[in-house]
Amino acid sequence: MQLTLVQLEQRAGDVDGNRRRAADAIERAASRGADLVALPELWNVGYFAFDSYAREAEGVEGPTLSEMSALAAEHDVGLLAGSIVEDLAASAEVGIDVPADEGLANTAVFFDRDGTRRGIYRKHHLFGYGSAETRLLTPGERLPTVDFEGFTLGFTTCYDLRFPELYRDLAAAGATLVVVPSAWPYPRVEHWTTLSRSRAIENLSYVATVNGSATFDEGTLLGRSTVYDPWGTTLASAGDDPALVTAEVTPDRVESVRDEFPAWEDRRR
């Protein structure tokens, strides 16, 4: 399966432009043979645009994710539509199960090749270090997995990388590829690479981290979107500029690594 991470250029206050850039990148990825495409965290509004969160929030069936569903179907790709600021009340109105009747969440949605919504993941761990996330957003409660092209996909978001128990729970649920939309800023480059690789190594699974490319008044995203294999080996990566990061991943690779190095069987709980 060909996996493509869209390290997207984001501009604060330019939701329409960010959506156009995302659509163009998805089309380019599909034209190059992508089976699964992933976007970064809060790519449409920009992570640091805290004052815009409430204004730009929308439900799971709002305009941004409706467009993403259509693009998945048009280009015949699985699409993890990064994450958006979700208006929980708007989602509840159309029958979506939500963690609270009102408020906002940092929400990633996966669409199958026909545009069907298959999974919703709301960021569990909200970042409070110089960020307004903990004040503005409601944390998620569920940890879904989705079967796609022989993989069991799991999803987490950015700061979640610092909490290994979340990834162990996903692995226990059968996840063989975890995709991590992010908005990880400078200067914490070593944290980004070390934590991501560690989550792959300790769970003997693929981990794909898709970061943005942007500069805001509050910080600059460091890019470096990367696909790690179950050994923690880097299969594909980027610098800090906008890029499409593509790697071939296979479910058999997870099985062979776990057979060769059966650390899961040696766990003492």
Side-chain angles (χ1 to χ4, degrees):
M1 179 181 80
Q2 183 171 303
L3 167 64
T4 298
L5 310 179
V6 177
Q7 186 164 293
L8 187 70
E9 177 189 3
Q10 302 163 37
R11 299 176 187 173
D14 187 17
V15 173
D16 289 342
N18 291 336
R19 282 166 57 175
R20 285 195 300 273
R21 283 182 281 277
D24 289 345
I26 293 166
E27 181 178 8
R28 284 188 285 117
S31 70
R32 298 176 187 180
D35 299 294
L36 174 60
V37 181
L39 297 173
E41 179 185 19
L42 300 183
W43 56 271
N44 64 337
V45 62
Y47 176 83
F48 290 104
F50 301 121
D51 292 342
S52 300
Y53 279 18
R55 182 175 65 252
E56 302 296 347
E58 56 188 82
V60 166
E61 295 187 354
T64 296
L65 293 178
S66 294
E67 180 181 359
M68 295 299 107
S69 171
L71 287 167
E74 178 183 352
H75 298 297
D76 187 32
V77 294
L79 176 61
L80 180 60
S83 72
I84 68 162
V85 180
E86 180 190 8
D87 181 335
L88 295 172
S91 291
E93 286 179 1
V94 294
I96 305 297
D97 188 30
V98 295
D101 292 334
E102 60 183 17
L104 308 175
N106 185 336
T107 302
V109 177
F110 176 77
F111 297 99
D112 215 330
R113 289 182 182 272
D114 62 358
T116 301
R117 185 178 62 243
R118 295 277 309 284
I120 298 174
Y121 174 76
R122 298 179 178 94
K123 189 175 184 179
H124 279 210
H125 299 93
L126 302 180
F127 192 52
Y129 179 77
S131 166
E133 235 188 352
T134 52
R135 175 172 55 85
L136 297 175
L137 302 179
T138 298
E141 299 172 344
R142 297 191 174 183
L143 197 60
T145 59
V146 174
D147 292 332
F148 182 78
E149 299 294 322
F151 283 95
T152 298
L153 305 180
F155 316 107
T156 65
T157 304
C158 201
Y159 189 47
D160 285 331
L161 278 166
R162 294 185 180 272
F163 302 89
E165 61 273 14
L166 197 64
Y167 296 79
R168 185 50 55 95
D169 288 344
L170 279 170
T176 50
L177 166 59
V178 181
V179 188
V180 190
S182 301
W184 202 282
Y186 284 103
R188 293 182 290 276
V189 176
E190 293 301 324
H191 296 199
W192 169 250
T193 55
T194 301
L195 292 168
S196 304
R197 179 176 285 112
S198 296
R199 300 297 83 86
I201 292 170
E202 66 200 7
N203 294 300
L204 302 172
S205 66
Y206 287 99
V207 170
T209 53
V210 52
N211 201 18
S213 177
T215 297
F216 305 96
D217 291 341
E218 299 85 349
T220 298
L221 304 185
L222 56 81
R224 292 171 171 76
S225 300
T226 305
V227 181
Y228 299 94
D229 84 350
W231 277 122
T233 302
T234 298
L235 299 183
S237 189
D240 57 7
D241 293 326
L244 297 180
V245 179
T246 297
E248 290 290 335
V249 295
T250 62
D252 291 347
R253 177 62 173 158
V254 179
E255 183 177 352
S256 66
V257 169
R258 291 178 177 179
D259 285 344
E260 179 180 351
F261 193 80
W264 270 85
E265 297 176 14
D266 296 332
R267 287 181 303 149
R268 297 180 66 189
R269 287 173 284 186

